[in-house]
Amino acid sequence: MQMTVTNLACARGGLQVLAGVSFTLASGQVLVVRGSNGAGKTTLLRTLAGLTPPLSGGIGVLPEAIAYAGHADGLKVQLTVAEHLRFWAGIFGTRGGQTAIDSFDLAGLLDRRAGTLSAGQRRRLGLARLLVTGRPLWCLDEPTTSLDAANTARLIRAVTAHLKGGGSAIIATHSNLDLPTGQILDITPFVAKSLPRDDPFGDGAFA
């Protein structure tokens, strides 16, 4: 699925953060979003995913085509890993549960409640949701947070398989991920002039 973004302006908390963002992402491609903390990477991803309305510009794909994985894993502490996967499969009407379990090494955690998981285990479960959605475009915000080297490699394999299957991905990250050749979008030139350069409420903490 191709995504075309044209002259997009984004806001956070009523303050314009980005202006004039444009790019095209084709099926099978990955776009890596770069920028300093607070520059607007999270705001951009949330706008693309339909979680925050744009100030102006066009996003050439419906939010229903996008699966978003943000800073928060969005887990219910009383539900087990298996219950989360079944719930998501029911919501999205898919059968990707076993693939998600295998891809993120969750078989030994299925009976564990989310509230008892480590930060890395919670992150793996949150990322596993991507494979259950069946959606063609993934938006990932710093997905390697709390992941060790082995599980970062699992993430890379999952994204690579998604791309080979015709999906696409937009990833905001400071890490150098060994992914198939794609595009890099440095959002620094698109930071709105109204955004204070020393803004303490950057999207790394509050968006």
Side-chain angles (χ1 to χ4, degrees), residues 121-158:
Q121 290 168 338
R122 290 196 299 271
R123 173 62 72 175
R124 282 155 53 196
L125 176 56
L127 291 170
R129 175 171 43 206
L130 295 167
L131 283 78
V132 180
T133 66
R135 295 186 171 185
L137 176 57
W138 293 356
C139 284
L140 290 74
D141 194 0
E142 295 295 348
T144 61
T145 300
S146 301
L147 294 184
D148 58 19
N151 287 302
T152 296
R154 288 189 174 95
L155 168 66
I156 291 171
R157 288 194 294 270

Side-chain angles (χ1 to χ4, degrees), residues 25 29 60 88 95 119:
L25 182 66
Q29 289 187 333
W88 294 329
R95 297 182 178 180

Side-chain angles (χ1 to χ4, degrees), residues 12 35-41 142 174 195 197 199 201-205:
R12 176 180 66 236
S36 61
N37 289 338
K41 298 185 301 297
E142 295 295 348
H174 293 289
L195 180 64
R197 303 303 296 180
D199 177 14
F201 302 110
D203 61 79

Side-chain angles (χ1 to χ4, degrees), residues 57-70:
I59 302 173
V61 67
L62 293 174
E64 290 78 12
I66 299 173
Y68 174 75

